[in-house]
Amino acid sequence: MLKKIILLFTLLLLFTSCSSDYDKRLKISATTWVGYIPLFYAKEKGWLKPLNIKLLHVSSLAENMYLYEAGNSDAYTGTQYEYSMLSKNMKSLKPIMMLDRSNGGDLVMGNLSVEDLQNTTSQIDAYLELDSVNNTVLKDFLSKYKLEDKNINYINRDQVVIKQMQADSKPTLIVTYVPYNFALEKQGFMELASTKDSLDLLVVDALFTRTETYDAHQKQFSELKKLVDKSIESLKKDPKEFYATVKPYILDMSYDEFVNSLDDIVWINRDISPALKQRMNQAKFPIRDLM
């Protein structure tokens, strides 16, 4: 009888320890920026469900930040800009998984050339997500092309609204990112500068959470890291299958546009070069706790 009780207790303990790895729901929020697409691929493949991970799809970087700040997600994807904003009041906030570096994926578009903007005396409307890295990109652009003294009318809109704009005669700047730029190009806007060659700005994307959240969900985060790496490998091996899987999340991008957008980022999920590490350290972006 005693042996049966001990055996039953042991089996119960084993069952509890196995099931408790994923018994707490982990909510992660992300936009459809091309660098976050591996998360949506993992979702569509059904890989997140066994880990009890729920991926929340949001329309803007600012919305993503506010969602996390309000406690409606446990972790969020974003750039160092959103991290710098939230970490002021969240001292334990940290990046735990690097995803990509923007290499042309963040850009400034307009209906006039840079030279025409420099010469205009009219007010310039600037559409962007104000509470996001869009703000930093615009400041860098205005500084680089000596436009700081222009009459800039800052208009806060999310990318879903911005991408519907049509180019007209009023001087207009748009700060956007892949994949929203493709729709804007079709509607008459041209690329003026990007993080690939015209802007010196460092933009890196990561998954962020608090230390206490990471400690409570360490197993799930660890498995998620493996799935992100697996998703990116799937993308490299069979981009057509990957595209077909994530198509519901990437607006009306064609396959060719999707493939071209991959040139606008550099994956840093596995390796970060010494030069990039140095730039991240200079930007006071912590990397010591990365998985």
Side-chain angles (χ1 to χ4, degrees):
M1 183 66 181
L2 182 58
K3 288 182 178 180
K4 288 183 179 179
I5 293 174
I6 293 173
L7 179 60
L8 181 61
F9 179 77
T10 302
L11 290 173
L12 182 61
L13 186 62
L14 284 171
F15 177 79
T16 303
S17 63
C18 291
S19 62
S20 64
D21 281 343
Y22 310 127
D23 62 356
K24 295 179 181 177
R25 171 69 64 88
L26 178 63
K27 292 184 289 183
I28 297 172
S29 56
T31 68
T32 49
W33 159 251
V34 64
Y36 308 148
I37 287 295
L39 290 166
F40 292 96
Y41 181 81
K43 176 184 177 181
E44 288 303 300
K45 297 301 265 187
W47 298 343
L48 301 184
K49 192 172 182 180
L51 301 180
N52 203 6
I53 294 176
K54 181 177 182 180
L55 185 62
L56 306 175
H57 180 202
V58 296
S59 62
S60 73
L61 290 166
E63 180 189 357
N64 206 12
M65 183 171 65
Y66 299 147
L67 190 75
Y68 182 76
E69 192 174 28
N72 293 319
S73 63
D74 303 303
Y76 74 98
T77 56
T79 72
Q80 73 269 30
Y81 177 90
E82 293 81 34
Y83 164 74
S84 68
M85 295 287 289
L86 289 177
S87 62
K88 293 174 183 176
N89 296 318
M90 299 180 186
K91 300 304 180 184
S92 69
L93 185 67
K94 62 183 181 181
I96 60 169
M97 184 193 309
M98 297 308 303
L99 295 166
D100 67 277
R101 174 176 68 83
S102 177
N103 187 41
D106 292 272
L107 58 157
V108 179
M109 305 183 75
N111 61 342
L112 298 177
S113 68
V114 169
E115 184 179 0
D116 287 339
L117 289 168
Q118 290 170 334
N119 292 330
T120 188
T121 56
S122 301
Q123 184 183 67
I124 301 172
D125 284 345
Y127 291 84
L128 71 161
E129 296 174 22
L130 274 170
D131 291 332
S132 78
V133 74
N134 284 184
N135 201 330
T136 306
V137 170
L138 181 59
K139 286 180 180 177
D140 196 62
F141 172 80
L142 295 176
S143 174
K144 184 176 181 68
Y145 293 103
K146 312 300 181 188
L147 295 168
E148 303 104 314
D149 295 333
K150 294 294 182 181
N151 182 9
I152 307 293
N153 178 30
Y154 294 85
I155 303 173
N156 187 29
R157 297 286 189 275
D158 69 41
Q159 296 297 329
V160 172
V161 174
I162 290 174
K163 82 178 185 70
Q164 299 173 15
M165 292 179 56
Q166 301 283 338
D168 56 27
S169 59
K170 182 171 176 54
T172 303
L173 288 172
I174 292 175
V175 186
T176 188
Y177 48 89
V178 175
Y180 297 101
N181 59 311
F182 295 112
L184 291 165
E185 284 175 1
K186 294 171 184 175
Q187 286 144 211
F189 292 96
M190 67 185 106
E191 179 179 328
L192 302 179
S194 79
T195 48
K196 178 169 286 185
D197 44 30
S198 309
L199 302 175
D200 299 324
L201 189 66
L202 172 68
V203 180
V204 292
D205 291 280
L207 180 67
F208 299 88
T209 193
R210 294 180 179 91
T211 298
E212 51 270 31
T213 304
Y214 176 76
D215 291 342
H217 298 271
Q218 190 168 356
K219 180 68 174 176
Q220 285 157 294
F221 281 122
S222 178
E223 293 302 314
L224 179 63
K225 173 69 170 71
K226 296 175 186 177
L227 293 180
V228 168
D229 293 345
K230 182 180 177 182
S231 294
I232 295 172
E233 286 304 310
S234 297
L235 170 59
K236 293 175 180 178
K237 289 178 181 178
D238 193 347
K240 283 191 174 180
E241 186 274 337
F242 190 100
Y243 169 78
T245 302
V246 301
K247 198 172 188 308
Y249 299 99
I250 53 177
L251 309 177
D252 52 356
M253 284 177 73
S254 68
Y255 174 70
D256 288 339
E257 288 172 336
F258 173 70
V259 171
N260 290 336
S261 74
L262 299 174
D263 291 333
D264 295 325
I265 63 169
V266 176
W267 295 111
I268 55 174
N269 58 303
R270 290 188 185 275
D271 299 307
I272 305 175
S273 69
L276 181 55
K277 284 182 180 179
Q278 184 177 358
R279 289 193 69 183
M280 292 163 73
N281 285 327
Q282 290 171 347
K284 298 182 179 178
F285 186 84
I287 58 175
R288 62 183 177 275
D289 293 325
L290 293 174
M291 294 187 291

